[in-house]
């Protein structure tokens, strides 16, 4: 039986070699027990129903349609198994996929580009974050949303400094202030100052660690198509 602090994870990926490679990568970390590997959304939903994993790592496109089966499965899992977090992996740095995933809420959901699979620490962090009910958004996706929304001088994003944008990207990955300090080599007081400035400039209320990602995402996706 897995230790209490070991994540029980189900992987959904139709490419067998990729699926087994990710399984080995995660299990070699000593922090993850992959309890099932599935090749399509139907098998994924069945595995979640039978095994009640802590988290799911799923490809965005799977049989039969190779469209957005991973996103549809993620929504279904969050509805029927709210204690199971889901990280969706995609090859596409297209913010529309991320917005589709988070359209009905961001709690317990993550969207990462497949390039992140090579960074085990980031991947395990994302799985732990969604398990705890938090949200994780790939920095490249945040960059695209930021660029789109800050294009107009009237956008509050245009008022953010380069360092505040750096902090915003870290926040979108679900990182606490302490995690941001380590990533950006900043002091505690400096991070707190930047975070407060971001919430003030974006006119967002101060929220908890997990909810602040949802708040930032809600701002970024608001009028994202304009």
């Amino acid at each position: 039986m897995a230790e209490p602090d070991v994540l029980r994870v189900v992987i959904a990926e139709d490419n067998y070699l990729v699926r087994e490679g990710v399984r080995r990568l995660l299990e070699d970390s000593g922090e993850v027990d992959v309890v099932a590997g599935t090749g399509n959304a139907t098998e994924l939903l069945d595995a979640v129903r039978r095994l009640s994993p802590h988290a799911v790592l799923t490809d965005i496109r799977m049989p039969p349609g190779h469209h957005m089966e991973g996103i549809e499965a993620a929504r279904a899992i969050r509805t029927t198994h709210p204690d199971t977090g889901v990280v969706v992996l995609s090859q596409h740095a297209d913010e529309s996929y991320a917005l589709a995933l988070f359209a009905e809420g961001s709690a317990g959901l993550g969207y990462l580009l497949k390039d992140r699979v090579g960074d085990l620490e980031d991947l395990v962090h994302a799985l732990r974050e969604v398990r705890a009910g938090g949200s994780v958004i790939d920095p490249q996706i945040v960059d695209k949303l930021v660029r789109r929304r800050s294009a107009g001088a009237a956008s509050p994003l245009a008022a953010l400094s380069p360092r505040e944008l750096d902090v915003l990207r870290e926040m979108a990955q679900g990182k606490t202030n302490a995690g941001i300090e380590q990533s950006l080599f900043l002091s505690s007081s400096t991070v707190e100052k930047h975070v407060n400035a971001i919430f003030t400039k974006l006119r967002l209320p101060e929220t908890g660690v997990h909810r602040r990602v949802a708040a930032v995402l809600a701002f970024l996706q608001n009028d994202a198509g304009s």
Side-chain angles (χ1 to χ4, degrees):
M1 181 178 294
E3 294 297 326
D5 61 341
V6 172
L7 286 172
R8 299 176 65 255
V9 172
V10 169
I11 298 175
E13 163 63 60
D14 62 307
N15 184 305
Y16 175 80
L17 292 178
V18 172
R19 184 169 72 241
E20 291 307 302
V22 173
R23 177 200 292 267
R24 172 166 291 188
L25 180 72
L26 289 173
E27 292 191 332
D28 284 351
S29 73
E31 298 183 55
V32 176
D33 176 19
V34 178
V35 296
T38 65
N40 59 59
T42 300
E43 293 175 356
L44 169 59
L45 294 175
D46 180 63
V48 170
R49 179 185 60 79
R50 291 184 294 103
L51 301 170
S52 297
H54 294 137
V56 165
L57 184 66
T58 179
D59 191 9
I60 193 172
R61 293 182 173 181
M62 292 182 290
H66 292 279
H67 181 45
M68 291 199 301
E69 289 80 5
I71 289 177
E72 293 163 359
R75 290 174 177 167
I77 291 167
R78 291 297 299 156
T79 298
T80 59
H81 294 77
D83 292 332
T84 298
V86 184
V87 173
V88 175
L89 292 176
S90 174
Q91 293 179 337
H92 310 283
D94 185 337
E95 67 270 27
S96 64
Y97 288 106
L99 294 180
L101 174 65
F102 296 119
E104 299 174 7
S106 59
L109 291 171
Y111 185 93
L112 296 180
L113 298 181
K114 281 193 170 181
D115 292 348
R116 295 278 161 188
V117 171
D119 191 325
L120 183 57
E121 184 177 350
D122 280 357
L123 190 56
V124 173
H125 162 77
L127 290 168
R128 290 197 179 280
E129 190 67 24
V130 298
R131 179 203 177 182
S135 308
V136 177
I137 313 166
D138 196 283
Q140 288 189 46
I141 302 302
V142 175
D143 284 345
K144 287 202 167 192
L145 289 168
V146 166
R147 284 197 297 270
R148 175 175 291 190
R149 291 227 56 201
S150 61
S155 170
L157 280 169
L160 297 184
S161 70
R163 186 51 103 183
E164 287 164 358
L165 287 172
D166 290 339
V167 172
L168 176 66
R169 295 182 188 98
E170 299 295 317
M171 287 171 61
Q173 295 179 69
K175 291 185 180 179
T176 62
N177 281 12
I180 296 172
E181 292 167 27
Q182 294 178 357
S183 295
L184 300 181
F185 303 103
L186 298 174
S187 68
S188 175
S189 60
T190 299
V191 170
E192 184 175 356
K193 181 188 74 174
H194 287 319
V195 169
N196 289 337
I198 289 168
F199 277 96
T200 298
K201 291 179 180 180
L202 300 189
R203 298 189 289 274
L204 292 168
E206 287 291 345
T207 57
V209 171
H210 297 318
R211 292 187 61 200
R212 68 185 189 172
V213 176
V216 171
L217 175 68
F219 178 84
L220 291 174
Q221 72 183 127
N222 187 33
D223 297 328
S226 62

